Amino acid sequence: MRGTRAAQRYAKAILSLAKDKNSAEAVNKDMITISKTVHNSKDLENMLTSPVVKDSIKKSALLEIFKDLNAVTKGAIDILLENGRINILHIVARQYFIQYNEMNNVQQAVVTTAVPLDKELEAVILAKVKELTGSEASLKSIVDESIIGGFVLRVGDLQYDASISRNLSRLKRELKNNTYVSKI
């Protein structure tokens, strides 16, 4: 992805400043909000990446959309605008979130289900992740109807696949293998 290395450097600098100002957690909340909002709004992403839209308009739009930003986050937006890098704001936000979690030993857990998770099930999954890994985790939920039911949980390099589609595939392979064995 273009701008990832630059985004990592900006995120590292922002995190360092936020730690110095004791506002790393507040900036993390801002960055999560920015990342989700830009990801969910193609118009906002297009506006940020457009060379036609003036920086002053981009800044006023961002400050209007994100009214309660921490001073460090507002400063980060100003620096990105000054350096002509506001187009990577959402990538910087994502990188900040990743680096913040690494700093706090919080892993990213990705759970894929056939239907959206409710809050109770999210809490159960997060407790299970903590039990398995010994560390806190943030949960990213993905809905994929092709798994039919059950779930697929990924934490770091570990993957636990308890999906119905996996079980059906395994059963199909076993039936094929048993059919060939019975013919011999």
Side-chain angles (χ1 to χ4, degrees):
M1 178 179 285
R2 284 189 78 185
T4 302
R5 286 180 42 177
Q8 289 172 340
R9 291 191 301 269
Y10 279 108
K12 185 177 181 180
I14 296 165
L15 181 58
S16 177
L17 179 62
K19 284 192 308 190
D20 291 345
K21 303 244 183 210
N22 292 323
S23 60
E25 186 174 345
V27 173
N28 188 51
K29 289 179 184 175
D30 290 346
M31 294 299 182
I32 291 170
T33 302
I34 289 169
S35 179
K36 286 181 179 178
T37 305
V38 173
H39 178 74
N40 291 331
S41 173
K42 197 67 175 162
D43 291 337
L44 179 58
E45 185 177 350
N46 289 338
M47 187 265 305
L48 290 173
T49 58
S50 173
V52 177
V53 179
K54 293 181 181 176
D55 286 348
S56 59
I57 294 172
K58 291 177 183 181
K59 181 177 181 177
S60 62
L62 288 170
L63 295 178
E64 186 64 31
I65 294 168
F66 306 109
K67 293 181 190 250
D68 299 324
L69 292 179
N70 183 285
V72 173
T73 309
K74 287 180 183 176
I77 289 172
D78 288 339
I79 293 294
L80 289 169
L81 281 164
E82 285 175 28
N83 295 337
R85 300 299 285 222
I86 197 66
N87 60 321
I88 63 169
L89 174 65
H90 61 293
I91 304 170
V92 171
R94 205 171 323 127
Q95 290 299 320
Y96 182 95
F97 172 73
I98 291 167
Q99 292 178 21
Y100 178 83
N101 283 344
E102 286 175 0
M103 177 183 82
N104 291 306
N105 280 339
V106 175
Q107 294 187 10
Q108 174 82 25
V110 179
V111 65
T112 305
T113 56
V115 294
L117 292 177
D118 60 10
K119 294 293 179 190
E120 291 176 23
L121 196 50
E122 278 186 25
V124 169
I125 290 171
L126 287 173
K128 190 65 173 173
V129 169
K130 185 172 183 172
E131 178 186 315
L132 293 171
T133 64
S135 65
E136 295 291 325
S138 62
L139 190 62
K140 178 180 178 184
S141 180
I142 299 173
V143 176
D144 180 3
E145 294 174 0
S146 70
I147 69 168
I148 302 171
F151 64 93
V152 178
L153 177 64
R154 260 175 274 165
V155 182
D157 293 341
L158 302 173
Q159 178 171 313
Y160 181 72
D161 190 344
S163 65
I164 301 296
S165 63
R166 183 189 142 275
N167 289 337
L168 288 173
S169 294
R170 184 178 47 83
L171 183 60
K172 182 179 176 182
R173 278 192 312 273
E174 287 177 9
L175 287 173
K176 272 186 172 180
N177 289 339
N178 286 340
T179 305
Y180 293 124
V181 171
S182 63
K183 288 182 180 178
I184 298 176

